[in-house]
Amino acid sequence: MRKIIICVVLVSCFVLQSMAQGTLQGTLKGEEGTLPGATIQILGTEIGTAADVNGFYQLRNLTAGIYKVEIRAVGYKPIQKSVTLKNGGVKVLDVFLEVDNLGLEEIVITGTMQPTYVSKSPIKVDVITSEYMNTFTPAAASSIIEGVKLVNGIQEVVACGVCFTNSISINGLPGPYTAILMDGTPIYGNLASVYGLNGIPSMLIERFEVIKGPSSTLYGSEAVAGVINIITKDPDNQPKFSIDVMGTSHLESFGNIAGTIKTKKASGFIGLNYAYINDFDDENEDGFGDNINMDRYSFFTKWDFKRNSKKKFSIAAKYYYEDRRNGVEQFLVDRNYKELRGSDEVYGESIYTNRAEVFGTYQFNTSENFKIDYSLSTHDQNSYYGADFYKANQNIAFANLIWDKQLGDHNLLIGMTNRVQQYDDNTVATQDSVASGIINKPDNQYIPGVFAQNEWELSKNFTALAGARLDHYDAHGLIFSPRLNLKFKPASSTTIRTNFGTGFRVVNLFTEDHAFITGQREVVIAEALKPETSLNGALNINHLYTVGNSQGMIDIDAYYTYFENKIIPNYDDPNVIVYANTTGHALTKGLGFNVNHDFYWPLSLSLGFNWQEATETEPDGNGEDVERKIEFAQDYSGVATLNYRIKKAKMTVGYTARITGPMALPEVFDLDENGSPMKTARPTISKPFSFHNIQVSKDFSNGLNVYLGVQNLFDYRQPVSPLVGYNDPNANIGFSNSFDTSYAYAPIHGRELYLGIKWELK
C-alpha cells in the first residue's frame, strides 16, 4: 500500500510540474527573409538555442514566469524582448531584426591579413557595406570614389580642372599614398591610382574596408597613408540576374547588368557596367566644360571553385575601358575630339585608358595553412593634354605566399612577396641622353620582400601585434619597416587601440602627379629622388553604448605622422613646378571624432568630424626653419549621414552632408586685359564649403526597386574657375604660357537630379 501511495505522489508531482512548464517558439526574420543560425538566449541563464534552416526556434520545458530574451544574428541589431509564459502554454514570439548599420560584426582581412571580426581586430578598421553605399549613393553611377566619401577623414582629390582625374586622400595625404587592394591583394600601381579608380563600380563591391595610417609592414610601398581593401561580391550570394539603369538631368546615363552561374563545382558572377556623358555645360563661363564627357565600360567576372578539400580557390578578372575628354566646346561638340586630339589651336584633353586585371586566392591542400594571393594587371594610357602627347604603360605581377599558424595564444603570419613591375612612357622619366641622341629606358623592377608578424593574446582583454617587413629595391637597396599594435579592453563596451610604425614609399611622380602634363608649367626635378619615409603613431578609442532599445558607437582617433625625404611640388614660380626631397621635414597630425547611432525605430544617424594639420618645414637661406601648409590638405572636414526606413511603404530616405574646411592652394595669377599676370595672386587659402545629397528608394514586389535623388542639393560651385590663363588675348584659349589647371579644390558641376530602376531575379 505504501509503495502505491509513493507512486501516486511521484506521478502527481510530475504532472503538476509539467502543467507548470511552457514552451517558447517562433520564427526569426530579417529584411532578406528568415535567419538560419540566429540565436535566442534567456538572459541570466544558459538556456538558449539557434534557429534552424527555416529560421524556426523552440525552447521547451520552461517554468511559468516572466523572462527577458535576447535575439542575435550576425549583421543585424541585437534585440531584447520580455516574454510571459503561462502554465502548460505555448508562447509564440516571432521577431524581425533590423540590419546593423554599425557593422561591428563584419569580417575584415586588411588589418592583419587574417579573417577576424571588426570588434576583435587589433587594428582599427572602418567598414562600408554595399547596402550602406546604395542607401546614400546612386547604385548605377557610384564607384569606390563615391563610397569612400562616406568615411570620415577620406576625401576625393581632383588633380586637374579640365579632365578631372582624381585620387583618394586619407588624412590629408595625396592619393598615391593610399594602397588600393582587391580581395586583399595589391593591384593598383602608381599609374592606376590616378587614372583607374573610377573603373571600380559599386556593382562588384560587397564592402570595402579602410585602415588609416602606414601599413607598409604588410603591403609595402604605396601604403603610407593607409589601405582601402575592396571585397568583391560572393557569387553564391548574388541573384540569378540583375539590372540597374539610371539617367540624370545633365543627360548622363549609367547602368549595370549582372548574372550568376551556379554548378556543383563552381559559382560565377558576371557583370557589365557602363557610363555615358556627352553634354557640354559652361556655367562659370571660362570656355571649358564644367564636367567631363565620357564613354566607359567595365566588365567583371569572379569564380569560386568548390574543391573536395574545402580549401579556397577563387579567380576574378576585370577589363576597364574609358574614353575621357573635356575642353572647349568646339573640341567636344559632335565628337570632334577624335580628329582634334593633339591640336595646337583647339584646346582639349583626351584620355584613352585600357586596363585589364586578374586576381584571386589559392589555398594549398596541406595540413598547414598555406595560401597564395596573386594578381596580374596591365594598364595602357594614350592621352593628349592640348598638344602634349602622353603615352604610358604599366604592367604589374604580384604574388604573396602566406603561412598562417596558431600556436597557443600566438597567431603567426609569415609571408614572402614577389612583385614584378614594368613602366614605360614617352617622357624624360624613361629616357636617357647619349652621344648619339635620346634612347628609351623603361623602368623594370623586381621587388622581393619578406614579412612576419605575431598576434599575441596576452589575456582576454589585451592583445599585442608586432610585425616587420624587409623589401629590396635595385635603386635603393633594403628597406626595413616595423610596426606594433596594442589593443586593450578595459570594459566589454570599450576598446583602446594604439599603433606605432614606419612607412616608406618609392615615388614615380610622372605616373602620380598630373600637374606635370597639364597646363604649361615647366617641370624641374632638382635632384635624384629618394624614397619617402615616415614614422607614425595613432590612438583609437571606441565605446559602444545603449540608450533604451537603441544602440550607438563613439569613436575617437588621434594620429601623428612625421615624414623625411618627402617630395612636395613647389608652385611658387608660376611657370615652373619644382620637385625635390625636403631637406627639412613634413608632418600630418589630427583628431577624428565619430558618432553612429541606430535608434529603436528605423532611423540611423552617423556624424563624423576630422581636424588635421599638414605642414612642411624647410630651412631658409638664413638657417631659419620656415613652415608652410601642404596644398589641398583641408584644415578640417566632416561627414553626416541619416537614413530612415518607412516599413509599410517599403521606402528608404538617405541624406548625406559633407563639409570641407579651408585648405592651402597653389599660388596662381590671373591675367589682365593685356595678358600679363596680375601683381596679386588668387587667394592661397580656400573658404569652407558643404555638399549635400538626398536619395529616396522604394521597393516593389518581384525584386523591383526605384530610386531618385538630388546631388549637390544647394547647387554649390567653386566660386572661380579652376583654370588660370584661359583668357590670354595673345594666345588661343588653353595655349597661353600662363595656362594652368591646378586651382581645382571644389565642385564646379551644379545641382543634378537622377532617377534609377533596379530589378533582381532571385
Side-chain angles (χ1 to χ4, degrees):
M1 185 66 179
R2 180 182 295 178
K3 292 182 179 179
I4 296 175
I5 293 173
I6 292 174
C7 290
V8 170
V9 171
L10 291 175
V11 171
S12 299
C13 290
F14 177 78
V15 172
L16 290 173
Q17 183 181 8
S18 299
M19 293 178 60
Q21 291 177 338
T23 298
L24 177 64
Q25 65 183 42
T27 303
L28 306 180
K29 295 181 179 181
E31 291 187 2
E32 299 297 325
T34 58
L35 297 175
T39 62
I40 182 167
Q41 180 84 26
I42 297 179
L43 295 179
T45 75
E46 295 183 358
I47 301 173
T49 188
D52 64 15
V53 293
N54 297 313
F56 178 78
Y57 73 92
Q58 189 176 70
L59 294 173
R60 295 181 176 180
N61 302 324
L62 300 177
T63 304
I66 299 175
Y67 294 94
K68 196 165 190 177
V69 298
E70 183 176 65
I71 301 95
R72 286 183 171 271
V74 174
Y76 292 83
K77 301 176 186 178
I79 190 171
Q80 294 182 2
K81 294 280 190 179
S82 291
V83 179
T84 301
L85 287 182
K86 296 180 180 180
N87 292 338
V90 176
K91 174 67 175 180
V92 177
L93 178 64
D94 296 329
V95 179
F96 183 89
L97 299 182
E98 298 280 350
V99 172
D100 180 8
N101 289 314
L102 296 180
L104 300 178
E105 297 300 327
E106 291 291 340
I107 291 180
V108 299
I109 64 174
T110 53
T112 61
M113 286 189 180
Q114 299 157 320
T116 185
Y117 291 110
V118 171
S119 58
K120 296 180 180 179
S121 172
I123 309 295
K124 163 65 186 305
V125 182
D126 293 301
V127 179
I128 298 294
T129 66
S130 59
E131 292 82 3
Y132 192 80
M133 279 183 61
N134 292 340
T135 299
F136 302 104
T137 63
S142 62
S143 67
I144 189 64
I145 293 289
E146 284 71 36
V148 297
K149 295 176 185 177
L150 300 172
V151 181
N152 188 29
I154 300 186
Q155 304 287 335
E156 174 192 12
V157 177
V158 175
C160 170
V162 177
C163 61
F164 298 100
T165 51
N166 49 14
S167 59
I168 299 172
S169 168
I170 297 180
N171 291 342
L173 294 174
Y177 288 69
T178 301
I180 307 296
L181 316 180
M182 297 288 281
D183 291 337
T185 303
I187 198 169
Y188 285 84
N190 311 76
L191 188 62
S193 69
V194 178
Y195 298 99
L197 298 184
N198 293 289
I200 310 176
S202 62
M203 169 193 69
L204 61 87
I205 300 173
E206 178 65 29
R207 65 183 182 274
F208 67 86
E209 304 150 356
V210 179
I211 297 177
K212 301 173 185 176
S215 299
S216 296
T217 297
L218 289 184
Y219 300 107
S221 184
E222 302 162 5
V224 176
V227 172
I228 296 176
N229 184 23
I230 300 162
I231 307 300
T232 58
K233 291 187 174 180
D234 183 351
D236 281 329
N237 297 329
Q238 300 312 304
K240 295 178 181 178
F241 178 80
S242 65
I243 187 169
D244 181 2
V245 293
M246 189 192 92
T248 77
S249 56
H250 285 90
L251 305 181
E252 303 163 341
S253 176
F254 304 89
N256 294 321
I257 184 170
T260 57
I261 301 173
K262 299 178 183 180
T263 68
K264 292 182 179 180
K265 294 186 177 181
S267 297
F269 172 71
I270 302 172
L272 175 67
N273 166 267
Y274 82 88
Y276 172 83
I277 306 173
N278 196 38
D279 185 43
F280 183 85
D281 292 311
D282 183 21
E283 294 293 331
N284 61 7
E285 298 181 349
D286 60 5
F288 288 77
D290 293 341
N291 193 24
I292 55 168
N293 281 198
M294 176 175 64
D295 302 305
R296 184 174 69 210
Y297 304 95
S298 182
F299 170 81
F300 176 77
T301 184
K302 180 179 181 181
W303 291 85
D304 285 338
F305 297 93
K306 301 173 182 178
R307 302 162 64 193
N308 294 332
S309 63
K310 306 299 181 184
K311 299 286 187 175
K312 184 176 182 180
F313 176 30
S314 69
I315 184 168
K318 182 164 74 72
Y319 172 73
Y320 165 60
Y321 169 78
E322 184 178 80
D323 173 357
R324 172 184 291 246
R325 65 267 181 189
N326 194 21
V328 300
E329 187 171 12
Q330 184 181 347
F331 184 79
L332 297 174
V333 68
D334 296 327
R335 293 184 177 259
N336 289 338
Y337 71 94
K338 292 186 176 182
E339 286 74 34
L340 293 174
R341 295 181 88 229
S343 169
D344 58 2
E345 295 182 357
V346 180
Y347 190 92
E349 296 185 1
S350 171
I351 303 171
Y352 294 157
T353 300
N354 283 277
R355 178 176 176 82
E357 307 163 4
V358 177
F359 57 94
T361 297
Y362 182 83
Q363 283 185 312
F364 293 95
N365 189 15
T366 60
S367 57
E368 294 293 331
N369 189 11
F370 284 99
K371 72 170 183 176
I372 185 167
D373 294 330
Y374 60 90
S375 66
L376 299 167
S377 66
T378 179
H379 188 108
D380 185 77
Q381 182 184 325
N382 180 304
S383 52
Y384 277 96
Y385 302 88
D388 295 329
F389 180 52
Y390 175 55
K391 180 176 176 59
N393 177 264
Q394 188 171 49
N395 302 308
I396 299 175
F398 176 88
N400 220 5
L401 178 62
I402 301 170
W403 177 50
D404 186 357
K405 182 70 173 179
Q406 187 72 41
L407 295 173
D409 296 331
H410 297 264
N411 191 291
L412 298 178
L413 189 78
I414 299 174
M416 180 175 66
T417 298
N418 289 276
R419 181 178 180 128
V420 177
Q421 185 168 295
Q422 300 174 333
Y423 174 76
D424 192 15
D425 64 19
N426 63 329
T427 74
V428 295
T430 56
Q431 294 176 352
D432 274 351
S433 298
V434 295
S436 58
I438 302 296
I439 63 171
N440 191 49
K441 189 178 180 181
D443 180 19
N444 298 325
Q445 299 184 55
Y446 169 58
I447 308 168
V450 293
F451 61 88
Q453 72 174 21
N454 177 25
E455 183 176 334
W456 183 13
E457 189 175 355
L458 289 90
S459 68
K460 183 179 179 181
N461 297 323
F462 189 74
T463 303
L465 185 148
R469 181 184 185 93
L470 190 66
D471 287 280
H472 181 268
Y473 289 82
D474 290 338
H476 309 293
L478 294 172
I479 299 179
F480 179 68
S481 53
R483 78 167 177 180
L484 174 66
N485 294 84
L486 302 174
K487 175 192 168 188
F488 175 59
K489 288 184 71 69
S492 60
S493 58
T494 303
T495 304
I496 300 174
R497 296 177 173 94
T498 59
N499 170 55
F500 307 94
T502 63
F504 73 92
R505 195 172 76 93
V506 177
V507 178
N508 187 338
L509 65 90
F510 280 79
T511 67
E512 299 169 5
D513 194 339
H514 192 267
F516 90 96
I517 43 178
T518 62
Q520 303 297 328
R521 290 179 185 254
E522 179 186 356
V523 175
V524 175
I525 302 176
E527 59 186 352
L529 300 178
K530 302 175 183 177
E532 298 180 345
T533 60
S534 67
L535 181 65
N536 170 266
L539 172 69
N540 171 255
I541 301 174
N542 183 279
H543 178 71
L544 306 178
Y545 65 87
T546 58
V547 178
N549 290 323
S550 63
Q551 62 174 340
M553 178 178 69
I554 299 174
D555 200 77
I556 300 173
D557 286 299
Y559 55 91
Y560 182 96
T561 306
Y562 183 92
F563 292 89
E564 291 182 330
N565 294 335
K566 187 167 185 346
I567 300 170
I568 302 175
N570 187 317
Y571 296 91
D572 287 348
D573 187 326
N575 298 313
V576 174
I577 307 174
V578 180
Y579 293 94
N581 292 108
T582 60
T583 56
H585 66 271
L587 65 87
T588 62
K589 57 184 177 181
L591 185 67
F593 182 81
N594 291 270
V595 176
N596 295 343
H597 193 88
D598 287 348
F599 293 90
Y600 180 68
W601 60 93
L603 174 68
S604 296
L605 175 67
S606 176
L607 298 173
F609 184 83
N610 187 68
W611 168 86
Q612 67 185 15
E613 184 177 346
T615 61
E616 62 169 331
T617 301
E618 293 279 2
D620 62 11
N622 301 318
E624 298 290 332
D625 286 341
V626 178
E627 182 180 276
R628 54 181 274 176
K629 291 185 175 182
I630 295 176
E631 281 91 355
F632 302 109
Q634 302 93 343
D635 289 349
Y636 61 82
S637 61
V639 60
T641 62
L642 182 150
N643 72 83
Y644 183 77
R645 176 73 174 173
I646 306 172
K647 293 183 180 180
K648 291 184 178 180
K650 296 183 178 180
M651 294 180 63
T652 300
V653 180
Y655 169 77
T656 310
R658 298 194 308 274
I659 183 171
T660 301
M663 69 185 81
L665 301 174
E667 188 176 48
V668 297
F669 294 82
D670 285 314
L671 306 182
D672 61 20
E673 63 276 6
N674 298 316
S676 301
M678 294 183 177
K679 295 181 179 180
T680 303
R682 282 188 182 181
T684 54
I685 300 293
S686 67
K687 293 183 179 181
F689 63 90
S690 61
F691 202 77
H692 303 259
N693 304 324
I694 190 168
Q695 177 173 286
V696 179
S697 63
K698 177 175 174 56
D699 294 321
F700 294 89
S701 59
N702 300 321
L704 181 65
N705 174 273
V706 176
Y707 59 94
L708 57 92
V710 182
Q711 291 189 312
N712 197 359
L713 183 63
F714 299 110
D715 200 27
Y716 175 81
R717 305 163 190 254
Q718 183 173 313
V720 296
S721 170
L723 311 176
V724 173
Y726 59 86
N727 57 342
D728 189 344
N730 304 310
N732 291 331
I733 184 171
F735 293 97
S736 168
N737 290 332
S738 299
F739 184 66
D740 187 72
T741 69
S742 64
Y743 203 77
Y745 65 90
I748 63 172
H749 191 51
R751 182 189 297 114
E752 182 171 85
L753 284 71
Y754 61 86
L755 173 66
I757 300 175
K758 292 189 290 185
W759 179 69
E760 291 184 349
L761 175 64
K762 296 293 186 180

